[in-house]
Amino acid sequence: QVQLVESGGGLVPAGGSLRLSCTTSGRTNSNYVMGWFRQAPGKEREFVAANNLSGTRTYYVDSVKGRFTISVDNAENTVYLAMNSLRPEDTALYYCALDARGRWSQRFDSSIYWYWGQGTQVTVSS
């Protein structure tokens, strides 16, 4: 059984940085797709970024491109989402999720992800 454990959220001022971690356990494959989502209070969950577990593919939505960076540490079974130049509008509960079928073309669709982390809160003060 695959499990995802997230950490790294917190409270930072605008312009600050955080690094989220998503550690996987169980049997995984380098082609699996990891999606990053966030949900702000009163808003729908939105797709933020994605990567495959080999780290050879990454994708970012325009609102975070150039500010967020994904990196993969296969030795630690951990994927990192480094977030820089944070803005108040980045405030949300952030989730990592895993698609075990490697459906990269459908990475935007939350329904393809079988496994989800517990979420970690990111709060950016103005």
Side-chain angles (χ1 to χ4, degrees), residues 3 33 89 100 108 123:
Q3 291 186 321
V33 176
E89 54 263 39
F108 313 100
T123 303

Side-chain angles (χ1 to χ4, degrees), residues 21-108:
S21 301
C22 182
T23 300
T24 65
S25 62
R27 189 172 183 176
T28 61
N29 183 289
S30 61
N31 290 325
Y32 286 11
V33 176
M34 178 170 285
W36 294 87
F37 294 83
R38 65 187 180 187
Q39 187 166 20
K43 294 187 177 181
E44 293 190 356
R45 182 170 52 195
E46 66 170 337
F47 171 81
V48 175
N51 60 277
N52 59 8
L53 289 189
S54 67
T56 57
R57 283 182 160 183
T58 57
Y59 180 87
Y60 307 91
V61 297
D62 286 347
S63 61
V64 307
K65 196 175 297 181
R67 301 188 298 122
F68 290 12
T69 304
I70 291 169
S71 60
V72 178
D73 184 338
N74 288 311
E76 296 295 329
N77 295 320
T78 298
V79 179
Y80 298 100
L81 180 67
M83 307 185 297
N84 298 312
S85 302
L86 283 163
R87 304 167 181 169
E89 54 263 39
D90 294 319
T91 295
L93 189 60
Y94 282 71
Y95 298 92
C96 59
L98 199 62
D99 166 39
R101 296 181 65 182
R103 292 170 285 188
W104 182 252
S105 64
Q106 300 175 58
R107 58 193 177 276
F108 313 100

